[in-house]
Amino acid sequence: MICLLLCGCFLIKTNAQKVYTYDFSDGLKSYSDSAPELHILGTEGKYIEEVLPELGKQKRTVYQFEANSGLQFNNQEGFNLMSGSYTVEIYFRLDELESWKRVLDFKNRKSDNGCYIYEGRLNFFNFATGEKAPVKPKEYVHYVFSRDAETHLIKMYVDGESKVEFIDPGDEAVLGQEQVLNFFQDDLVAKNEASPGAVALIRLYDRVMTPIFVQQSFKRLARTISEKPRVSQPREVPPPKPEGNMLERVVVKAMPAVEPVEVSGKVFNGRTLDRLADVDVLVRRSTSDSIIARSKAIDGSYRFQLRPLETYRITALSPGFEAKSIVVTPQAGGGETKTLMNLREENFDKPISTLPFSQSDSSLTSEARSALDTLTNFIRERTDLKFRLLGHTDNVGDFDKNISLSQQRAVIARDYLIGKGIDVDRVETKGYGPTRPLASNNSEVSRRQNRRVEVWAEPVKR
């Protein structure tokens, strides 16, 4: 008979799960059973003692690496731990964070795609970029990346908080033919996209860890990398396998329960008041802007269980409609919190993106490339739209040359999108030179606003 304990107990399956932990106290070896050693990429690094933020004044051994060097995990040597769903947990610092800096490479230097820190924001090139900048140069960060093999859902966390979530469009986060995962070394397609730094902990799981577990893992980080003798795994890792294929009961101290509050809502077409069926609903914690829940609305209805007395931002997204958000703060014991959202149909009366340019220059700035990378997925998904790239300049210099420069800017932006796989027939370009300024040209600050390419969308006439 298998007993189920409902208060303060976990049921953990003991016959399949694997976790490999590397803390660099014994070189590149893992203290997890059967885990392979990590391999060195590029220049061999150094083992140094460093004070880590989560350990107060205590020092800890870390592996320090140079730019374009790092470490490699061989999945075949690791008994295919990363062949299905997986989670990668790292505690590290990068010394330089301007532009893109590589964190994880899944294709062994054969693809530009993969995990970066971009100007301090989480980035999976070229599909998703985090909205905020939680990472700072020369400061340690707790970084978690997971991929669900069944749903292809990718999640990225910093310091226990969810920051990026998207569907892997083409197995970009599946290991390539060589079956290796590279840390910190760039693929060399573009230069200067790797940073020197140091790593204190790498942990690999053969499953997707829950947001609650990721948060707990960050809170337990000080104990995890400083206890002597070390604990072998965090709490979700199974104890030694018993005889037979059984479920092992593990009792932990019960924590005071906080009853969740039900938050429900309906999403309507603001013009017809019909319920919308194709709606993605995201819930973000207002204090951190991290996504904590998402759902597909059924017949325009959604329902979440949320902790009371916290403030959340609920966003509804539906093709052909403008996104809309509302803020809710569920009250403890206040019963169900009900919400309504009316979405406006898209009218495309303003640019969906604006790309900045430097004075007298048609080359893409890093901000423009980042905006185009974010835009690429939207263009792929919205086959019902076509796009116009309209180039502009300030009024400095010859008028005819500025007309030509504005057209060049629009064409270069278009060519960048084509290089990402966008059909050339879906993108038009035109240059207006200085004839349509956003601001006066009386100062450099205002002229900077006029040096731009605007991206406009409009429905395809059928």
Side-chain angles (χ1 to χ4, degrees), residues 93-109:
R93 64 169 167 83
L94 296 180
D95 296 343
E96 302 168 0
L97 286 181
E98 72 282 358
S99 188
W100 282 272
K101 299 302 177 187
R102 173 74 79 171
V103 179
L104 299 176
D105 170 17
F106 304 94
K107 306 299 184 184
N108 199 25
R109 307 174 75 194

Side-chain angles (χ1 to χ4, degrees), residues 13-76:
K13 195 172 181 179
T14 63
N15 65 334
Q17 297 175 340
K18 294 193 294 286
V19 179
Y20 297 160
T21 302
Y22 303 86
D23 72 349
F24 308 102
S25 62
D26 190 17
L28 301 182
K29 296 180 181 179
S30 170
Y31 62 74
S32 307
D33 292 340
S34 73
E37 288 190 31
L38 297 174
H39 299 279
I40 294 171
L41 293 174
T43 303
E44 184 175 358
K46 300 177 181 179
Y47 299 96
I48 64 172
E49 295 289 314
E50 199 162 67
V51 175
L52 303 185
E54 277 70 23
L55 302 186
K57 296 181 179 180
Q58 296 184 47
K59 287 188 176 181
R60 191 72 179 80
T61 300
V62 302
Y63 180 80
Q64 186 180 56
F65 51 87
E66 297 182 5
N68 211 35
S69 299
L71 297 169
Q72 181 185 85
F73 171 77
N74 188 303
N75 190 46
Q76 293 176 328

Side-chain angles (χ1 to χ4, degrees), residues 214-225:
V214 172
Q215 188 176 61
Q216 291 174 343
S217 184
F218 171 63
K219 291 179 179 179
R220 288 169 48 88
L221 188 61
R223 289 180 54 198
T224 302
I225 61 178

Side-chain angles (χ1 to χ4, degrees), residues 122-336:
L122 300 193
N123 172 271
F124 193 103
F125 187 81
N126 56 2
F127 303 103
T129 301
E131 296 180 6
K132 293 198 172 184
V135 184
K136 298 180 180 179
K138 299 183 180 180
E139 291 188 8
Y140 274 86
V141 61
H142 181 253
Y143 177 103
V144 176
F145 178 95
S146 69
R147 183 185 189 277
D148 189 305
E150 183 175 345
T151 64
H152 294 192
L153 180 65
I154 287 174
K155 291 187 177 183
M156 303 169 72
Y157 304 78
V158 159
D159 292 348
E161 297 286 348
S162 174
K163 295 296 182 182
V164 177
E165 181 176 324
F166 67 103
I167 300 297
D168 188 353
D171 292 341
E172 299 296 340
V174 174
L175 298 184
Q177 184 177 3
E178 292 91 345
Q179 286 292 291
V180 295
L181 175 67
N182 293 346
F183 297 85
F184 311 121
Q185 187 183 41
D186 184 42
D187 60 12
L188 300 182
V189 172
K191 301 296 184 182
N192 302 317
E193 292 187 348
S195 169
V199 56
L201 178 73
I202 293 176
R203 182 177 283 126
L204 307 173
Y205 305 81
D206 68 346
R207 58 203 182 278
V208 172
M209 310 315 292
T210 65
I212 292 176
F213 179 80
V214 172
Q215 188 176 61
Q216 291 174 343
S217 184
F218 171 63
K219 291 179 179 179
R220 288 169 48 88
L221 188 61
R223 289 180 54 198
T224 302
I225 61 178
S226 65
E227 284 182 342
K228 300 294 182 181
R230 297 187 301 263
V231 292
S232 60
Q233 316 293 355
R235 187 171 63 185
E236 279 194 26
V237 179
K241 180 179 177 182
E243 292 184 5
N245 185 11
M246 299 177 60
L247 290 177
E248 180 74 8
R249 188 178 68 187
V250 180
V251 181
V252 298
K253 184 177 180 181
M255 300 298 291
V258 177
E259 288 294 328
V261 175
E262 189 162 276
V263 177
S264 63
K266 294 179 173 61
V267 186
F268 294 89
N269 181 323
R271 181 175 61 82
T272 66
L273 298 185
D274 294 331
R275 291 194 190 184
L276 296 175
D278 187 9
V279 185
D280 284 311
V281 184
L282 309 179
V283 180
R284 287 183 169 89
R285 186 175 284 110
S286 292
T287 54
S288 63
D289 204 41
S290 59
I291 297 175
I292 62 168
R294 69 183 303 160
S295 175
K296 177 74 75 171
I298 300 175
D299 191 25
S301 300
Y302 60 85
R303 192 175 299 273
F304 297 100
Q305 297 282 334
L306 302 176
R307 289 173 59 92
L309 305 179
E310 294 190 24
T311 302
Y312 305 91
R313 179 159 54 93
I314 302 177
T315 303
L317 305 165
S318 183
F321 292 84
E322 297 179 4
K324 186 172 183 178
S325 297
I326 58 173
V327 175
V328 299
T329 304
Q331 299 302 307
E336 182 178 355

Side-chain angles (χ1 to χ4, degrees), residues 259-447:
E259 288 294 328
V261 175
E262 189 162 276
V263 177
S264 63
K266 294 179 173 61
V267 186
F268 294 89
N269 181 323
R271 181 175 61 82
T272 66
L273 298 185
D274 294 331
R275 291 194 190 184
L276 296 175
D278 187 9
V279 185
D280 284 311
V281 184
L282 309 179
V283 180
R284 287 183 169 89
R285 186 175 284 110
S286 292
T287 54
S288 63
D289 204 41
S290 59
I291 297 175
I292 62 168
R294 69 183 303 160
S295 175
K296 177 74 75 171
I298 300 175
D299 191 25
S301 300
Y302 60 85
R303 192 175 299 273
F304 297 100
Q305 297 282 334
L306 302 176
R307 289 173 59 92
L309 305 179
E310 294 190 24
T311 302
Y312 305 91
R313 179 159 54 93
I314 302 177
T315 303
L317 305 165
S318 183
F321 292 84
E322 297 179 4
K324 186 172 183 178
S325 297
I326 58 173
V327 175
V328 299
T329 304
Q331 299 302 307
E336 182 178 355
T337 299
K338 297 184 178 181
T339 62
L340 294 175
M341 279 193 278
N342 295 327
L343 303 191
R344 294 171 49 189
E345 296 177 350
E346 293 173 315
N347 57 16
F348 304 111
D349 58 353
K350 58 184 179 181
I352 62 173
S353 185
T354 299
L355 317 177
F357 283 78
S358 301
Q359 173 70 49
S360 303
D361 194 350
S362 63
S363 59
L364 293 175
T365 62
S366 59
E367 293 87 352
R369 286 197 301 270
S370 179
L372 289 169
D373 291 338
T374 302
L375 204 60
T376 301
N377 274 349
F378 177 78
I379 296 176
R380 286 181 180 140
E381 294 169 359
R382 296 301 303 272
T383 56
D384 59 320
L385 301 175
K386 63 180 180 179
F387 299 86
R388 293 182 295 131
L389 304 182
L390 307 182
H392 304 273
T393 69
D394 57 30
N395 68 348
V396 176
D398 180 78
F399 178 85
D400 291 334
K401 289 182 179 179
N402 278 333
I403 293 290
S404 177
L405 175 62
S406 65
Q407 178 66 26
Q408 290 173 19
R409 288 172 172 171
V411 169
I412 284 175
R414 180 201 63 187
D415 291 346
Y416 188 87
L417 291 173
I418 293 172
K420 299 296 180 182
I422 302 302
D423 191 336
V424 63
D425 294 332
R426 298 187 60 201
V427 186
E428 299 176 357
T429 63
K430 187 173 179 61
Y432 289 96
T435 63
R436 297 186 178 184
L438 279 182
S440 71
N441 286 292
N442 295 332
S443 69
E444 171 56 23
V445 173
S446 59
R447 286 194 294 270

